[in-house]
């Protein structure tokens, strides 16, 4: 199989290609050209000349996510994960606060909520919706940067008295790029001087075509102050989620994302969103270059729970080191495997990878002797 060209190897090692070639010729190689491709073994041999050790491995020490299921239709449904985006001061926090309070009022929480980066509310139907909490926007961007598609639905908040503004356009761009469906919440509908028609018109200029304006994106007038339209908004999210048919395996190894990490009186904690599987106290998980034996799982009310299922936000403690926001959580079968994966990741981050195309074959790294 292909491995690495002479010039790329010279580059990785940090030697001028001409010097590199003459050194290879000193070693006995003939007719060396910059674009000759060396197999892994030869590359390792040459690298050794430059005091680099080539480390070949098949990546099995690492933990990786399971491939997505081919057919999800038999799996249990899960709550949709919703991010609220929009221009500053258009009412995002007010809407989130209303939703959170309504769930407190619904008796989910005993009145106290704490910030864990996301929260779930029951819909009128009894099904749950999970909202990524403020700063939803930056969390969304950060995870997208890491290639995570945590969000199923974006609620685009546009103040009905202010219409489309620069950050509205930004939000539209992000949702479009991430291929996430949008529901428009035309906020502050209680205020005088609202012009929902202008909002709809302005949105269509930017490619969001709402009902009656040539498209099928739902636009709902809401007020986070009076609660007007909020039930309709929840229902619209529920209907869209039902149509998108979000499902996830609850029986496989747990997988998820770290939303935020912090230190609390009872130790290092990370809030997380479970993507697949069921996480329970005692489970071993890896996130980036740290791992945890889950000591306690808490919901957003701070109440210890016995398991966390897909789409559910949860606070996890028991971390060796603080995990980074946006990293992927993967369950390991044993502590030993978790440590192995972490060691592997730490070691790999300190060494130089050879070539781009090596992913196809066994992985090789160079380590300075
Ligand atoms: P964010 O920056 O998008 O999170 O916006 P906020 O939720 O912080 O709201 C910005 C300002 O608009 C605050 O002064 C809110 O009190 C006010 N506001 C938000 N929603 C409404 C609403 O539905 N009606 C009215 N009248 N004011 C609102
Ligand atoms: Mg805000």
């Amino acid at each position: 199989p292909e491995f690495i060209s002479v010039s790329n190897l010279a580059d990785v090692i940090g030697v001028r290609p001409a010097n590199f070639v003459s050194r290879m010729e000193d070693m006995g190689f003939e007719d060396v050209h910059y674009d000759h491709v060396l197999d892994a073994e030869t590359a390792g041999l040459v690298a050794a000349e430059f005091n680099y050790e080539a480390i070949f491995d098949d990546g099995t020490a690492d933990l990786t996510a399971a491939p997505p299921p081919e057919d999800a239709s038999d799996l249990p449904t899960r709550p949709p994960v919703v991010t609220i985006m929009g221009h500053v001061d258009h009412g995002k926090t007010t809407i989130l606060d209303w939703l959170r309070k309504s769930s407190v009022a619904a008796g989910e929480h005993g009145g106290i909520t704490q910030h864990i980066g996301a929260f779930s509310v029951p819909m009128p139907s009894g099904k749950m919706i999970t909202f990524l909490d403020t700063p939803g926007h930056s969390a969304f961007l950060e995870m997208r940067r890491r290639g995570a598609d945590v969000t199923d639905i974006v609620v685009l908040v546009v103040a009905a008295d202010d219409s489309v503004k620069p950050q509205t356009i930004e939000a539209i761009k992000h949702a479009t790029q991430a291929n996430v469906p949008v529901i428009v919440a035309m906020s502050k509908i209680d205020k005088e001087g609202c012009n929902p028609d202008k909002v709809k018109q302005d949105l269509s200029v930017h490619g969001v075509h709402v009902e009656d304006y040539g498209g099928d994106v739902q636009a709902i007038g809401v007020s986070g102050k009076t609660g007007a339209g909020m039930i309709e908004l929840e229902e619209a999210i529920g209907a869209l989620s039902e149509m998108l048919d979000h499902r996830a395996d609850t029986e496989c190894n747990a997988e998820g994302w770290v939303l935020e990490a912090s230190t609390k009186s009872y130790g290092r904690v990370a809030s997380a969103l479970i993507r697949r599987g069921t996480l329970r106290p005692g489970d071993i998980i890896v996130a980036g270059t740290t791992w945890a034996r889950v000591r306690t799982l808490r919901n957003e009310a701070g109440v210890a729970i016995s398991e966390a299922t897909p789409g559910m936000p949860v606070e996890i403690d028991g971390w060796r080191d603080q995990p980074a926001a946006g990293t992927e959580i993967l369950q390991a079968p044993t502590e030993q495997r978790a440590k192995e994966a972490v060691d592997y990741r730490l070691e790999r981050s300190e060494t130089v990878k050879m070539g781009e195309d090596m992913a196809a074959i066994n992985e090789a790294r160079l380590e300075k002797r």
Side-chain angles (χ1 to χ4, degrees):
E2 277 210 313
F3 192 53
I4 188 168
S5 70
V6 168
S7 57
N8 283 347
L9 185 57
D11 194 43
V12 166
I13 289 175
V15 178
R16 296 214 345 247
N19 296 347
F20 193 81
V21 166
S22 62
R23 189 79 163 265
M24 281 185 70
E25 285 172 349
D26 289 346
M27 290 175 75
F29 291 94
E30 284 170 14
D31 292 333
V32 181
H33 288 284
Y34 294 160
D35 55 358
H36 275 177
V37 175
L38 309 176
D39 63 29
E41 197 184 337
T42 312
L45 208 71
V46 178
E49 252 320 272
F50 292 89
N51 261 341
Y52 275 88
E53 185 182 0
I55 298 160
F56 300 96
D57 73 64
D58 56 7
T60 50
D62 202 5
L63 286 170
T64 49
E70 267 168 32
D71 177 14
S73 60
D74 283 341
L75 299 174
T77 55
R78 62 163 175 82
V81 179
V82 178
T83 302
I84 299 202
M85 299 175 102
H87 196 68
V88 65
D89 280 347
H90 275 196
K92 299 180 296 293
T93 301
T94 306
I95 289 172
L96 281 166
D97 285 348
W98 191 94
L99 291 163
R100 197 189 280 103
K101 276 190 210 116
S102 74
S103 82
V104 172
E108 281 286 304
H109 291 312
I112 313 150
T113 55
Q114 58 179 59
H115 184 83
I116 69 163
F119 63 94
S120 297
V121 298
M123 282 181 268
S125 70
K127 290 186 179 166
M128 304 297 285
I129 306 177
T130 296
F131 289 92
L132 283 192
D133 209 342
T134 46
H137 200 149
S138 59
F140 179 83
L141 296 186
E142 176 61 15
M143 304 226 192
R144 265 211 53 217
R145 202 178 60 75
R146 292 166 186 262
D149 37 0
V150 273
T151 306
D152 301 310
I153 294 168
V154 164
V155 170
L156 182 65
V157 175
V158 190
D161 64 341
D162 202 25
S163 198
V164 173
K165 286 281 167 304
Q167 287 164 294
T168 319
I169 297 167
E170 276 289 288
I172 293 169
K173 226 168 63 192
H174 293 308
T176 309
Q177 280 169 3
N179 201 19
V180 179
V182 167
I183 292 174
V184 175
M186 296 182 293
S187 59
K188 309 195 186 185
I189 206 78
D190 60 293
K191 280 178 83 171
E192 270 179 49
C194 282
N195 191 347
D197 283 329
K198 179 168 172 16
V199 172
K200 294 178 186 176
Q201 248 158 28
D202 289 352
L203 283 173
S204 70
V205 171
H206 294 282
V208 177
H209 303 289
V210 305
E211 288 164 341
D212 305 334
Y213 283 76
D216 56 5
V217 174
Q218 291 203 66
I220 296 146
V222 302
S223 168
K225 275 259 160 81
T226 66
M230 295 298 283
I231 303 287
E232 286 90 329
L233 177 62
E234 289 180 88
E235 279 170 353
I237 295 168
L240 181 57
S241 166
E242 210 135 292
M243 200 186 81
L244 298 169
D245 199 26
H246 298 119
R247 289 168 187 275
D249 195 347
T250 52
E251 282 165 19
C252 57
N253 280 341
E255 297 175 8
W257 301 103
V258 175
L259 298 174
E260 293 175 0
S262 56
T263 304
K264 296 194 174 166
S265 55
Y266 44 88
R268 262 183 223 107
V269 298
S271 60
L273 196 60
I274 302 303
R275 177 176 71 210
R276 280 205 268 184
T278 301
L279 189 66
R280 299 184 179 85
D283 286 348
I284 316 259
I285 49 176
V286 171
T289 52
T290 183
W291 64 279
R293 175 184 284 278
V294 178
R295 199 162 44 204
T296 317
L297 293 175
R298 291 183 180 83
N299 65 14
E300 66 259 33
V303 174
I305 53 175
S306 58
E307 54 179 43
T309 49
M312 212 168 142
V314 67
E315 188 186 77
I316 302 168
D317 66 7
W319 297 95
R320 302 298 136 140
D321 296 295
Q322 192 146 303
T327 46
E328 188 176 38
I329 293 174
L330 296 171
Q331 186 173 359
T334 60
E335 259 186 46
Q336 183 56 35
R337 276 294 285 122
K339 286 180 196 160
E340 220 175 274
V342 167
D343 284 347
Y344 175 85
R345 291 170 179 198
L346 286 169
E347 196 177 296
R348 190 173 52 182
S349 68
E350 285 167 6
T351 54
V352 191
K353 275 188 177 185
M354 293 201 286
E356 285 292 321
D357 46 6
M358 72 198 171
I361 60 163
N362 290 349
E363 185 155 342
R365 299 172 273 123
L366 284 183
E367 203 167 66
K368 187 87 184 152
R369 281 208 180 114

